[in-house]
Structures are given as structure tokens and as C-alpha cells.
Amino acid sequence: MKVLIVYDSRTGNTEKMAYAVAKGVEAEGVAVEVKKIDEASVDDLPMADGLILGSPVYYGLPSGKLKGFIDASIKYHGRLDGKVGAAFASSGGTHSGAETTVLALLEALLIHGMVIQGTSEGNHYGPASVGAPDNTAIETCTKLGERVARLVKKLHD
Ligand SMILES: Cc1cc2nc3c(=O)[nH]c(=O)nc-3n(C[C@H](O)[C@H](O)[C@H](O)COP(=O)(O)O)c2cc1C
């Protein structure tokens, strides 16, 4: 079982979130691979049981690089059906596009047929942090990693 985390980050905020998410996946005993968008390839997708996308908020949307990755993922359309998906985002301000960015990423994962679990507590759609993630944001990211890993394990039973 393996979870792939693909993120974009220009100034390091989303990157810190990505590694906090990875820590949560590992804590649940599931293998994790973290790839910055420039090193990521859609050819990594078929081997992953879960995919978590992270993006900085650019005009209320995922970055162009992340969108390029999503568009390239059509190569494996149908092959991600039933796998676990999740998303997180880093913004410059509050109420300035973080939720729309997370939801845009989740929309693409739903179109792939992926299984997405919300949360009844805190960041319902996925972690959103303002600027450099503080301890609370890091904890939220780690919890997301744990939840995704637990769901991956359940779906494998
Ligand atoms: C082109 C561009 C567009 C941005 N648009 C928004 C925006 O719409 N809303 C917002 O809150 N922050 C916006 N920001 C700020 C970034 O989302 C924020 O600084 C984020 O933490 C950067 O993440 P990173 O350190 O992983 O690159 C924008 C930044 C850039 C460079």
C-alpha cells in the first residue's frame, strides 16, 4: 500500500504541509512518497493507492503546474477509480480562496472516481493554512495523512 503526495510550492509553505501530511501517513504504517510537482510524473499514479494533492492558492485556484499535472493524468483515466483522494492548500490570507482551491483539486479527483473523506471537525474539505503553517495547521495536515492512510487500509481489506 502506498500514498503519493504531489505538491507545488514556490516559497515553501505548501511544502511544509506536504511533509506534515506524509508524517501522518507513515504513522499509520503506510508507505508514502512525496513529490514536488517538477519531479512528479503521472506515471507514478497507477502504483499509488491514495493520491493527495497540495497547492498554493493562486487567484483562488490551484497553481498552473498542478492543473497541468491533473490534465496529464488523463493518461490513466479510469485507473484511479476507487482509490483514495485528498487535497490541501496554502493561501496568503483568510477567506481568500483556500477552500475554492481545495475543492477544485477534489473535483478533479472525483472525476477520476476517487473516494474522498471529509471531516466533521476543523478543515472539513482539507487542510488550509495561511502563510507558513503554524503548529495547528501542521497537526491538521498530519491528521489528514492519518485519515487517508486508514481509509486506504480499510479499502484494501
Ligand atoms: C500568482 C499568485 C497568486 C496568488 N493568489 C492568491 C489568492 O488568490 N489568495 C491568497 O490568499 N493568496 C494568494 N497568493 C499567495 C499564496 O497563496 C501564498 O503566499 C502561499 O502561502 C504560497 O505557498 P508556497 O509557499 O507553497 O508557494 C498568491 C500568490 C501568487 C504568487
Side-chain angles (χ1 to χ4, degrees):
M1 280 177 285
K2 188 169 122 183
V3 170
L4 174 66
I5 300 173
V6 176
Y7 72 94
D8 190 10
S9 186
R10 208 187 287 183
T11 53
N13 298 334
T14 316
E15 183 164 66
K16 288 192 187 96
M17 295 176 80
Y19 281 96
V21 174
K23 212 174 124 195
V25 175
E26 275 172 348
E28 285 291 330
V30 172
V32 65
E33 196 168 2
V34 187
K35 288 216 169 169
K36 195 168 184 175
I37 192 72
D38 309 297
E39 307 150 4
S41 161
V42 292
D43 294 330
D44 297 325
L45 294 174
M47 278 80 79
D49 303 293
L51 172 64
I52 308 177
L53 298 176
S55 179
V57 174
Y58 286 176
Y59 292 93
L61 292 165
S63 72
K65 285 185 184 180
L66 236 299
K67 182 60 166 68
F69 181 84
I70 289 166
D71 291 353
S73 71
I74 196 169
K75 183 173 177 187
Y76 294 107
H77 193 81
R79 301 264 303 269
L80 309 185
D81 203 281
K83 296 182 185 226
V84 180
F88 58 93
S90 172
S91 64
T94 45
H95 314 298
S96 55
E99 284 193 341
T100 51
T101 299
V102 171
L103 287 169
L105 293 169
L106 295 182
E107 279 176 28
L109 299 180
L110 284 169
I111 289 169
H112 268 300
M114 300 185 84
V115 178
I116 290 162
Q117 184 178 15
T119 173
S120 53
E121 290 172 7
N123 292 180
H124 306 296
Y125 305 116
S129 152
V130 180
D134 60 12
N135 288 344
T136 307
I138 290 290
E139 201 180 302
T140 305
C141 288
T142 305
K143 276 189 184 154
L144 174 77
E146 290 167 0
R147 287 167 68 78
V148 167
R150 282 200 294 269
L151 186 55
V152 164
K153 286 191 281 189
K154 270 187 209 161
L155 294 179
H156 257 261
D157 282 348

